[in-house]
Amino acid sequence: MELRHLRYFVTVAETQSFTKAAQKLFTTQPSLSQQIKDLEQEVGVTLFDRSARQIRLTQEGQAFLGYAQSALEHAHLAIAVARQVAQQKQNQLHIGFLNVAEIKLMPALLAKLKQHLPNVQLHIQSLTCLEQIQALKNAELDLAFTRYPLDEPEYAHHLILQEPLYLVASKKLYPHAQPISKNILKNQSLILCEQTSSPVLYEKIQQHFDFEQLPKQQLMWVTNVLQHINLINMGFGFSFLPEYALKFLNSDVVTIATEFTLPQLALYANYRKDVHHPALRFILKELHAL
């Protein structure tokens, strides 16, 4: 039995379709079907019920699935650990940043690190939260700064800060001194971050506004901070920004008080528990001292 057999089995089980699984695995359906048959022959049981229109696991297949997923996960972890040991031997440190971490943490933090460990090779990547978490799991990052913690047994996280969120807009859109109500804001043009690029910010705002209930012509969606700032500065609508981004707004844009309480955005450092890279340990010590 090879890992690819387990990977093929798990993919068919998750998609409940040989066709979809073959597409996802970049193989042909006949080849995939043969691999599953080979696996069933080796295990000695039928793993899938093929009699129905939709592929389903047999009871034996359901029992086999959990162990197959666990085996693949442990194989993935073994690769990740080996990669990280190799990076430590080469004195390399790979860090993922969100914009807030780049602005509020990176200058002072990396200056201290280079002073303490001048020979460390730093690899800095600006990535979204989801990209960082996946890169951390793939051992492509040693440290990830994200808006939410990676709450899994192999990883640890540290809360660094809680950042206020502000409603902002051009003065011409709201030249009033009094706080704005939610009902008034619902009738305005809103500039919002796509869920895939800023999932935590998206979810925080959605707690106050059901996007499905708002007219689509009122909503303008962005995928990065530069787009977001530019559209706000150009007066295209109201928007919500974390504190670190306020410095990039022009003088025509103001913060607006609200009749409702705005949430805060957290920033976490995520890392693998079993890594003992001296540069990573130094950074974590500095972060805990903040």
Side-chain angles (χ1 to χ4, degrees), residues 98-99 126-131 190-199 201-202 219-232 239 241 244:
L98 294 176
N99 291 303
S126 181
L127 302 168
T128 66
C129 290
L130 297 177
E131 289 171 339
L190 296 175
I191 304 167
L192 301 167
C193 289
E194 293 274 9
Q195 186 175 16
T196 53
S197 59
S198 299
L201 179 57
Y202 178 96
L219 307 180
M220 184 174 294
W221 297 96
V222 297
T223 57
N224 62 62
V225 173
L226 184 59
Q227 290 175 347
H228 201 169
I229 297 296
N230 284 341
L231 291 175
I232 295 170
S239 194
L241 280 182
Y244 84 90

Side-chain angles (χ1 to χ4, degrees), residues 31-51:
S31 176
L32 175 60
S33 298
Q34 185 59 52
Q35 297 290 336
I36 296 298
K37 287 180 182 178
D38 291 345
L39 177 63
E40 289 177 321
Q41 185 175 1
E42 183 169 354
V43 176
V45 300
T46 300
L47 299 171
F48 290 102
D49 180 3
R50 299 169 174 81
S51 61

Side-chain angles (χ1 to χ4, degrees), residues 262-283:
L262 290 176
Q264 293 188 324
L265 295 178
L267 181 66
Y268 293 88
N270 300 276
Y271 52 96
R272 190 179 295 276
K273 289 180 179 178
D274 57 5
V275 174
H276 303 288
H277 196 300
L280 178 58
R281 292 299 161 190
F282 177 82
I283 289 177

Side-chain angles (χ1 to χ4, degrees), residues 93-98 100-118 120 122-124 132 142-146 158 160-161 267-271 278-290:
L93 189 69
H94 297 254
I95 305 175
F97 277 102
L98 294 176
V100 56
E102 289 186 57
I103 292 169
K104 285 196 167 186
L105 297 176
M106 189 168 69
L109 193 61
L110 297 189
K112 288 183 179 180
L113 175 62
K114 291 299 287 185
Q115 185 177 14
H116 183 73
L117 296 168
V120 67
L122 295 175
H123 300 265
I124 309 298
Q132 286 192 67
D142 300 296
L143 182 63
F145 289 93
T146 64
H158 172 62
I160 300 170
L161 57 85
L267 181 66
Y268 293 88
N270 300 276
Y271 52 96
L280 178 58
R281 292 299 161 190
F282 177 82
I283 289 177
L284 294 175
K285 180 180 178 182
E286 291 294 317
L287 291 176
H288 279 83
L290 292 177

Side-chain angles (χ1 to χ4, degrees), residues 151-217:
D151 192 14
E152 295 184 13
E154 297 85 6
Y155 301 91
H157 60 265
H158 172 62
L159 176 62
I160 300 170
L161 57 85
Q162 292 276 7
E163 192 175 25
L165 199 63
Y166 293 89
L167 176 66
V168 298
S170 171
K171 294 175 184 176
K172 66 181 181 182
L173 295 179
Y174 196 75
H176 313 292
Q178 65 269 30
I180 193 170
S181 69
K182 191 177 295 187
N183 286 333
I184 291 177
L185 191 57
K186 284 181 179 179
N187 295 317
Q188 310 302 317
S189 296
L190 296 175
I191 304 167
L192 301 167
C193 289
E194 293 274 9
Q195 186 175 16
T196 53
S197 59
S198 299
V200 176
L201 179 57
Y202 178 96
E203 292 167 9
K204 294 282 188 181
I205 302 305
Q206 195 177 41
Q207 292 173 6
H208 290 283
F209 300 94
D210 185 352
F211 300 141
E212 295 297 324
Q213 301 300 318
L214 297 176
K216 288 182 171 55
Q217 64 270 20

